[in-house]
Every structure is written in structure tokens, then in C-alpha cells.
Amino acid sequence: MKGRDTIARAIYVTAVEKRIIILRVFTKKSQRTPRREIETALSRAMEVD
């Protein structure tokens, strides 16, 4: 995704009945995804029914 000045990344999962749940959106600052962002997304994924 592109905003006005930056590029953003989203981490998402697909759930039952073709739902897409966006777990985390963050601004891209480097090639590598920060571990903190991955941990946040994993934590939220565990809460999905």
C-alpha cells in the first residue's frame, strides 16, 4: 500500500467464510519486517475466532 509519502505493509489472515482480517498495518522503513510487528500480529491472530 502507498500513502502520500510512505509505503505501508499489512499483515492479515483469512478466516472462515472468506473473511480477511487485518491484524497489523505499519510503515515500511526497511526491507525486513520488524520482529515486534510480527509478534503483535501473531498475538492478534490468536484472538480471532
Side-chain angles (χ1 to χ4, degrees):
M1 295 180 283
K2 283 190 173 185
R4 271 189 232 171
D5 301 324
T6 59
I7 296 173
R9 297 271 170 108
I11 301 174
Y12 61 90
V13 296
T14 55
V16 180
E17 299 176 15
K18 298 182 183 179
R19 290 186 305 166
I20 297 174
I21 300 169
I22 300 171
L23 302 171
R24 185 77 176 142
V25 176
F26 57 95
T27 303
K28 178 184 169 185
K29 295 181 181 175
S30 68
Q31 196 70 14
R32 197 169 177 174
T33 303
R35 185 72 194 155
R36 183 182 81 230
E37 301 295 349
I38 294 170
E39 289 171 357
T40 301
L42 287 172
S43 173
R44 291 177 181 177
M46 294 299 175
E47 296 174 10
V48 175
D49 290 348

